[in-house]
Amino acid sequence: MTLLSEEQRKKLSESGIRAPYVNETCIGCSACVAISPDVYDLNDDGLSVVKELSNYEDLSVDDSIQACPVNAISWKN
Ligand code: SF4
């Protein structure tokens, strides 16, 4: 699994491609992983991380944002 690096996030942003961002309030409930397994995974600490993809549209990101119990996920350009 390759995680989305800040450098890659910046490149995507420069191309007008949105990517989800998980902030430090994640409690590792894994709801986002269940909803969008192509987008998220849990790291060794059991917290959600965003995988490196070329596009995040149509991958249930909006649903994962809605489902997160602590509002840890947002679209971030
Ligand atoms: S749904 Fe929210 S709290 Fe649960 S693992 Fe994903 S980011 Fe973390």
Side-chain angles (χ1 to χ4, degrees):
M1 173 182 65
T2 304
L3 301 185
L4 179 60
S5 65
E6 281 306 311
E7 184 181 353
Q8 185 63 17
R9 181 183 290 279
K10 195 173 168 195
K11 283 183 187 169
L12 290 174
S13 178
E14 287 168 356
S15 301
I17 297 171
R18 302 189 299 170
Y21 176 77
V22 179
N23 70 30
E24 71 284 351
T25 62
C26 172
I27 56 172
C29 75
S30 80
C32 58
V33 180
I35 292 168
S36 305
D38 291 336
V39 175
Y40 308 97
D41 205 346
L42 297 184
N43 65 15
D44 290 343
D45 294 326
L47 300 176
S48 177
V49 288
V50 177
K51 299 179 187 178
E52 183 181 313
L53 299 173
S54 57
N55 199 319
Y56 295 87
E57 302 292 341
D58 302 323
L59 289 172
S60 304
V61 171
D62 285 330
D63 290 343
S64 68
I65 289 171
Q66 293 292 326
C68 179
V70 292
N71 296 318
I73 312 171
S74 60
W75 285 109
K76 190 176 178 185
N77 283 316

